[in-house]
Amino acid sequence: MSRGGVLSAAWRRVPGAWRQPLTIVGVVVAVSWVLIALLAPLISPFDPLSQGARLYQAPSAAHLLGTDELGRDVLSRLLWGARVSIPLAMLLVALAFTIGGTLGGLAGYLGGWVDELVMRGADFVFAVPTILLAMAVVAALGPGLFHAVLAVVLVSWPGHARVMRGLVRTAMQSDYVAVGRLLGSPTHRALAVDVLPNVAGPVVVLAALEIGNAILLLSALSFLGLGARPPAAEWGSMVSTGAQHFEAWWIGVFPGLAILTVVLAFNFLGDSLRDAFDPKTVIQARGA
Amino acid sequence: MTALLSVRDLAVRMDTAHGPLTIVDGVSFDLDSGRVFGLAGESGSGKTITALALIGLLPSGSRTGGSAMLDGRDLLAMRGAPWRRTRGREVAMVFQDPMSSLHPMLTIERQLTEHLRHHFGMSGREARERGVRLLTDVRIPDPEAAMRGYPHQFSGGMRQRIQIAMGLACEPRILVADEPTTALDVTVQAGILRLLRGLCRERDLAVMLITHDLGVLSAVADSVTVMYAGRVVETGPTATVMRQARHPYTRALVDSLPHPEAADRALVPIGGEPAGPESRPDGCAFHPRCRYAQPSCRTAVPPLVPTGDGREMACPVDPLVARMGA
Amino acid sequence: MSSTVRSGTSTSPPSARTETLGAALARRRSRHPLLFFVGRRLAALVLLCFGVSIMAFVLTHVIPGDPAVANLGDRASSDPVAVRLYREHFGLDKPLPVQYLVYVGNLLHGDMGESEQSRRPVTTDLAEYIPATAELAITSMLLACALGVTLGVIAALRRNRLADQVLRVVSLGGMSTPQFWLALVALYVFFYRLGWAPGSGRLDAAVLPPPHLTGLFTVDSLAAGQLDVFVNSLQHLVLPACVLAAFNTGLFTRFTRSAVLEILENDYVRTARAKGLPELTVVSRHVLRAASPPVLTVVGLAFGNVMTGTVLVENIFSWPGIGQYSYRSATALDLPAIVGVMLFVAVVYILVNMVVDILYGVIDPRIRVT
């Protein structure tokens, strides 16, 4: 078989949900950034902390994205910034999902006062804007990246809780669980076997969207000086520096663009996956 | 007497997940004022699509063929503003499920009068009076209070009457009713059917009644056209068709109706499943399920031929003859 | 098509014997549905307020090691008199639940503590900065709503065609752009380079604010007939309001699109078209009204986003609102101030959601019965 034939055959095996153009773009860009985060020490042209070069250099052949106010290479700091934002965001989402998913799952499964308690808690957190709550937590605990992460986890868990609770409740009311109960198999077994595979889809969607939000929030906190501390190369704080040096626009613009592309990639991914998992977007023609 | 609406060779093709399909394949019939025309068939026969084609509400990606002449104008060829003027005003449609066909958040008054005011430029007061009169005509109790109500406050039968009133608001010449009683209790169905027939006679309306239930048609329809798999298989005056069905499918349909006087006899179902448009058999579409199928039925589509007693039928094998001969 | 048999709603007459309380309530409820509806929502509001106050209490009095030190700040806490006064005022020697009651009691008297930066009661600070943020927030919400809903309807009607794909990318882009960065870029392009918009503040330095009526300069200047002040305040408002609206426009577009898509599948849209109504009427009256409830849901979310955004945007545009106030307080670790802002915003958020809930009942008559 020709090489083209093998490729197109493999392409057809990929489920339709993942073949949408936006999903592909999202996956490619997101994966690229993850790779950058992993490989930054290898591909970065300069040391992000070294202040050797001339200050405020515009983008040039030597420094593709210019240098900042302390003579550091912007491109290198950009690449290393990925090592801060992306893993932290993923860790954050994993934490929020674990806490929120467990609480939400329990709420959906047990119902009653557990459900009430968890949902009221979620409502309270929703009532306060994310940044304010994060700032309050940081103010109570003290600044620093770790506290910022904690604050964002605190702000994000309700979203996961609500989704999980909804999924568990729908599954509990579904026919196959009811039939399973009738046949005598315990509910938790039915949940594990039937529910979890169906849960995977919406959870992946939410995770993708939440990673984007986490990056936005973390960089915002760092921009305000409440997260990462200098001289660490973090995108938000780089933009903040850029704000103080307007003429050297490259200092602030490129890190912001980096944030934009990463978050956009994850949002593309999450959004088109959600469309694909939602049966309502399938167009059917019915005879009557 | 010339027919009010002449439909000739109506065909509808749609692009579906299975490729382009012919849903309706050359259907012809006439609608006369003051008469109830019944269109019967199972789901998948194309009867609703036929109605939607007449009123111009086919889903996008559909293409029509043939003609539907109303006063010298071809309904199928009309587009845009002229079509919107005809729709609702000269040709009105009543749909199957009145709960989902009425807007849940608009008052009855609004839903009854908005097209009145749009088509005729009536004032609010005039339209409201007309609405009250319409509700009275369809026997809704306390019409003034009903005007202020919302659809969810009424029972299924009432909602269907409201829908009929809505259809009649602009005094159309043709009323198409798609399964108007299927979503209703059996006890309520008779009232709706009586209402439809009464309105038909009083207003010299042409009513096209679409249903899968031959029992309904036998009660109110003046003429019956039976469709199967997008084609007409038999057509004629109701009494004749019901008493002496000649097409094997019609025969089977009539036989499968529960008859009160034959309570001891077993019900006779029609074997097999109705074929959807994507898996239509060659030749006569009914032949896989037909008792009298012959080799020629597999290849040639039988034409619709008059049988002499005001009927037309599309089957080379006459079951009455075949039975007598066998 | 399957058929479903439906019976209508029926009301059974009350029995001759004594009714249970539940039945009596149900009967009263069916007579005054809207009243009951509002009453239930108010009760939920009160409950939520309690929750938020608990959260604030936890942050100010439970988490920090020494609440007095944390709330008074570095300078004041070195003064033993101030510390003692604080302890007495908030009953720090008493058990926690009593402390909470004291805290709530103080709150209800409008005492949120004193901001250590301004040395004024937090409530005074808030009163000064709220109007500026209100003006910004309202403007940007209106913008986002109008633009977002319109674009969402267009995207739904042109589903899967080019316009829809483009709008999808644009709206996702709006939701992916860091607001602080967008503000800076906007400032750089429109102020620094093009000089089209002013760079900071609510008015030019030379222009005097209009006589105080609402605190919103646009409204007040119009009320006082000062057109030049009105124009100037608008010029200052444009850029930050647009930046702030970016995220929510994307949000509204997405939500409106999916809401309208769902509505379009409904039979009553087909009925409206079958009546020969013009497409514009079908969309504006039938579709939009049915799509209002889900879109209204987003308003509450959007409000939260706006408040988050003001912290960043006010900072960059030197807009003297509570966003900037809360940021200053956070960097100075001024705990009472931050918590004060949090409480205030939470209460407003709850109020906004309550209004939305009431609007649900107004728009959708079926909800009044449940």
Side-chain angles (χ1 to χ4, degrees):
Chain A
M1 215 189 307
S2 70
R3 196 144 160 266
V6 170
L7 279 177
S8 61
W11 178 240
R12 265 192 297 275
R13 300 252 312 270
V14 173
W18 293 81
R19 271 196 273 172
Q20 301 301 313
L22 280 189
T23 319
I24 300 172
V25 169
V27 168
V28 166
V29 175
V31 167
S32 311
W33 274 111
V34 171
L35 284 176
I36 291 178
L38 288 172
L39 301 175
L42 297 175
I43 55 177
S44 166
F46 295 88
D47 177 11
L49 300 176
S50 81
Q51 305 175 12
R54 239 176 52 222
L55 314 182
Y56 300 116
Q57 273 187 61
S60 60
H63 294 271
L64 283 176
L65 298 183
T67 63
D68 66 1
E69 83 285 5
L70 292 179
R72 298 174 291 198
D73 178 40
V74 172
L75 175 62
S76 310
R77 286 174 69 75
L78 197 78
L79 297 178
W80 277 78
R83 286 172 78 81
V84 175
S85 303
I86 296 179
L88 268 185
M90 292 184 163
L91 169 70
L92 208 150
V93 171
L95 269 176
F97 172 68
T98 312
I99 299 176
T102 317
L103 284 176
L106 282 176
Y109 187 67
L110 297 173
W113 63 268
V114 175
D115 189 12
E116 273 302 307
L117 198 61
V118 170
M119 283 301 109
R120 290 313 125 226
D123 281 343
F124 300 152
V125 175
F126 273 142
V128 183
T130 43
I131 272 213
L132 282 185
L133 187 53
M135 289 198 308
V137 169
V138 168
L141 293 174
L145 208 45
F146 180 60
H147 291 154
V149 169
L150 269 183
V152 178
V153 169
L154 179 67
V155 160
S156 325
W157 73 261
H160 295 269
R162 280 213 182 148
V163 168
M164 205 46 151
R165 174 181 179 268
L167 288 173
V168 169
R169 283 182 65 172
T170 319
M172 301 248 311
Q173 290 163 2
S174 74
D175 290 337
Y176 42 69
V177 170
V179 167
R181 272 211 204 120
L182 270 177
L183 294 177
S185 85
T187 319
H188 59 263
R189 188 156 178 277
L191 275 176
V193 169
D194 293 314
V195 170
L196 284 186
N198 286 343
V199 158
V203 162
V204 167
V205 167
L206 187 61
L209 297 172
E210 283 289 305
I211 291 182
N213 278 341
I215 294 179
L216 281 178
L217 205 46
L218 275 177
S219 57
L221 282 175
S222 300
F223 171 81
L224 293 174
L226 296 173
R229 299 315 231 145
E234 199 275 343
W235 290 334
S237 47
M238 285 169 77
V239 175
S240 166
T241 316
Q244 289 150 18
H245 304 279
F246 241 29
E247 325 73 39
W249 55 267
W250 51 90
I251 301 180
V253 165
F254 290 119
L257 270 179
I259 302 176
L260 175 56
T261 51
V262 178
V263 177
L264 194 57
F266 278 106
N267 275 345
F268 274 171
L269 195 55
D271 194 70
S272 60
L273 276 184
R274 173 171 53 196
D275 261 0
F277 284 123
D278 186 346
K280 277 179 286 197
T281 58
V282 174
I283 308 169
Q284 296 164 333
R286 293 180 304 156
Chain B
M1 180 181 74
T2 47
L4 178 62
L5 178 72
S6 283
V7 178
R8 295 282 172 270
D9 291 320
L10 172 61
V12 179
R13 276 171 283 277
M14 281 170 37
D15 292 324
T16 68
H18 303 271
L21 290 177
T22 306
I23 311 287
V24 177
D25 191 5
V27 167
S28 305
F29 55 85
D30 286 341
L31 292 186
D32 299 314
S33 308
R35 305 183 79 73
V36 178
F37 168 84
L39 189 60
E42 292 168 292
S43 32
S45 56
K47 52 194 198 305
T48 298
I49 296 288
T50 306
L52 288 178
L54 290 181
I55 198 152
L57 285 181
L58 288 171
S60 57
S62 313
R63 291 177 298 282
T64 59
S67 67
M69 306 301 290
L70 173 71
D71 275 353
R73 287 166 295 156
D74 185 2
L75 293 182
L76 299 177
M78 289 169 84
R79 298 269 178 278
W83 206 171
R84 273 196 301 278
R85 273 196 293 276
T86 318
R87 194 189 288 161
R89 205 171 115 173
E90 297 185 60
V91 182
M93 188 152 171
V94 170
F95 297 95
Q96 171 176 347
D97 185 355
M99 186 65 239
S100 58
S101 300
L102 292 172
H103 198 297
M105 302 175 194
L106 296 174
T107 58
I108 302 294
E109 170 175 347
R110 169 78 86 175
Q111 302 194 51
L112 266 184
T113 58
E114 61 178 337
H115 51 312
L116 265 180
R117 299 181 64 178
H118 170 74
H119 285 300
F120 299 124
M122 279 188 187
S123 74
R125 203 169 42 86
E126 281 180 304
R128 201 178 316 127
E129 282 167 9
R130 171 95 131 222
V132 171
R133 253 181 291 138
L134 281 166
L135 288 181
T136 320
D137 286 344
V138 296
R139 326 263 189 276
I140 300 272
D142 198 357
E144 263 111 12
M147 290 284 263
R148 289 192 297 273
Y150 292 92
H152 68 276
Q153 295 166 323
F154 295 89
S155 70
M158 301 278 225
R159 275 182 237 137
Q160 195 58 292
R161 289 170 189 267
I162 292 172
Q163 236 207 123
I164 293 173
M166 217 164 64
L168 295 174
C170 299
E171 303 197 332
R173 297 151 81 190
I174 302 175
L175 182 69
V176 179
D178 187 6
E179 308 267 12
T181 53
T182 310
L184 301 175
D185 286 337
V186 159
T187 49
V188 175
Q189 283 182 12
I192 300 290
L193 293 173
R194 260 200 306 274
L195 175 68
L196 276 176
R197 193 176 50 188
L199 292 167
C200 169
R201 306 277 189 252
E202 286 164 32
R203 294 163 180 248
D204 209 25
L205 194 56
V207 174
M208 180 166 151
L209 184 53
I210 303 173
T211 178
H212 63 279
D213 188 346
L214 277 186
V216 162
L217 290 183
S218 67
V220 293
D222 296 305
S223 68
V224 163
T225 295
V226 181
M227 277 180 75
Y228 185 78
R231 299 190 191 114
V232 173
V233 295
E234 184 156 6
T235 171
T238 315
T240 330
V241 170
M242 300 290 290
R243 246 183 300 121
Q244 293 173 347
R246 302 180 86 159
H247 190 280
Y249 175 61
T250 323
R251 175 97 250 147
L253 267 186
V254 173
D255 281 345
S256 69
L257 279 179
H259 200 280
E261 287 160 26
D264 51 338
R265 253 195 275 149
L267 287 176
V268 183
I270 311 176
E273 295 277 320
E278 69 279 359
S279 47
R280 205 161 276 168
D282 292 327
C284 171
F286 188 61
H287 82 255
R289 307 164 75 187
C290 181
R291 237 185 296 168
Y292 311 96
Q294 319 218 313
S296 61
C297 298
R298 232 168 282 145
T299 49
V301 178
L304 199 60
V305 281
T307 57
D309 48 353
R311 280 195 288 164
E312 290 177 345
M313 207 231 348
C315 183
V317 180
D318 191 331
L320 288 178
V321 171
R323 277 232 212 106
M324 287 192 291
Chain C
M1 284 181 269
S2 65
S3 61
T4 46
V5 170
R6 290 179 199 259
S7 52
T9 53
S10 60
T11 45
S12 50
S15 89
R17 282 179 254 136
T18 52
E19 332 172 273
T20 59
L21 181 61
L25 259 177
R27 220 167 21 97
R28 278 241 183 81
R29 173 192 280 195
S30 62
R31 286 218 204 105
H32 304 284
L34 202 55
L35 220 56
F36 252 87
F37 182 71
V38 173
R40 279 220 330 270
R41 292 295 181 260
L42 271 174
L45 163 69
V46 170
L47 219 60
L48 215 46
C49 278
F50 263 118
V52 176
S53 68
I54 291 179
M55 186 160 56
F57 174 70
V58 163
L59 278 172
T60 51
H61 285 80
V62 176
I63 291 185
D66 185 347
V69 171
N71 283 289
L72 286 175
D74 292 324
R75 271 177 296 152
S77 55
S78 54
D79 176 5
V81 176
V83 172
R84 187 162 48 84
L85 277 174
Y86 188 88
R87 282 198 205 279
E88 282 171 18
H89 187 64
F90 281 96
L92 289 186
D93 49 337
K94 304 213 180 63
L96 261 183
V98 180
Q99 280 190 44
Y100 172 66
L101 287 174
V102 172
Y103 182 73
V104 170
N106 285 334
L107 271 186
L108 290 175
H109 280 117
D111 178 7
M112 290 193 206
E114 225 179 62
S115 159
E116 60 173 281
Q117 297 175 81
S118 60
R119 320 239 93 236
R120 294 186 302 183
V122 170
T123 34
T124 317
D125 278 350
L126 286 180
E128 183 181 319
Y129 294 116
I130 284 172
T133 304
E135 188 169 36
L136 192 54
I138 293 175
T139 313
S140 94
M141 278 291 274
L142 287 176
L143 226 88
C145 221
L147 196 57
V149 169
T150 315
L151 290 178
V153 169
I154 295 177
L157 292 178
R158 303 255 178 283
R159 181 203 199 154
N160 289 335
R161 306 225 282 267
L162 182 64
D164 186 18
Q165 308 282 23
V166 166
L167 279 174
R168 175 194 228 168
V169 172
V170 166
S171 54
L172 282 178
M175 293 171 72
S176 312
T177 314
Q179 279 176 319
F180 54 90
W181 179 78
L182 186 62
L184 284 172
V185 169
L187 208 52
Y188 182 78
V189 171
F190 293 106
F191 164 66
Y192 194 69
R193 285 291 181 165
L194 296 174
W196 285 353
S200 63
R202 302 175 70 188
L203 291 172
D204 287 345
V207 178
L208 286 174
H212 182 98
L213 188 64
T214 60
L216 307 182
F217 285 176
T218 40
V219 171
D220 291 350
S221 55
L222 269 184
Q226 296 174 334
L227 272 178
D228 49 337
V229 179
F230 175 69
V231 169
N232 194 249
S233 63
L234 262 186
Q235 282 176 326
H236 282 257
L237 194 54
V238 164
L239 215 49
C242 286
V243 168
L244 207 48
F247 187 92
N248 281 332
T249 306
L251 189 65
F252 275 116
T253 308
R254 304 295 298 146
F255 263 86
T256 308
R257 176 186 181 271
S258 54
V260 170
L261 277 180
E262 260 199 64
I263 304 292
L264 284 178
E265 288 173 18
N266 278 311
D267 289 342
Y268 50 82
V269 176
R270 186 178 55 176
T271 307
R273 292 203 176 112
K275 291 199 272 195
L277 294 172
E279 192 68 11
L280 186 62
T281 311
V282 173
V283 170
S284 60
R285 188 183 295 156
H286 291 249
V287 173
L288 274 185
R289 187 171 305 212
S292 302
V295 171
L296 268 182
T297 318
V298 186
V299 168
L301 256 178
F303 174 75
N305 290 331
V306 166
M307 293 316 299
T308 301
T310 54
V311 174
L312 301 161
V313 170
E314 284 184 5
N315 196 2
I316 293 170
F317 284 98
S318 307
W319 194 269
I322 53 178
Q324 219 187 29
Y325 176 67
S326 58
Y327 170 60
R328 281 204 315 265
S329 314
T331 37
L333 302 178
D334 187 350
L335 203 51
I338 286 224
V339 173
V341 172
M342 228 175 69
L343 272 173
F344 168 72
V345 173
V347 169
V348 174
Y349 174 83
I350 292 168
L351 280 173
V352 167
N353 276 306
M354 195 187 79
V355 168
V356 164
D357 270 349
I358 293 181
L359 280 177
Y360 275 153
V362 167
I363 290 182
D364 190 345
R366 298 171 293 181
I367 295 190
R368 301 178 206 164
V369 188
T370 38

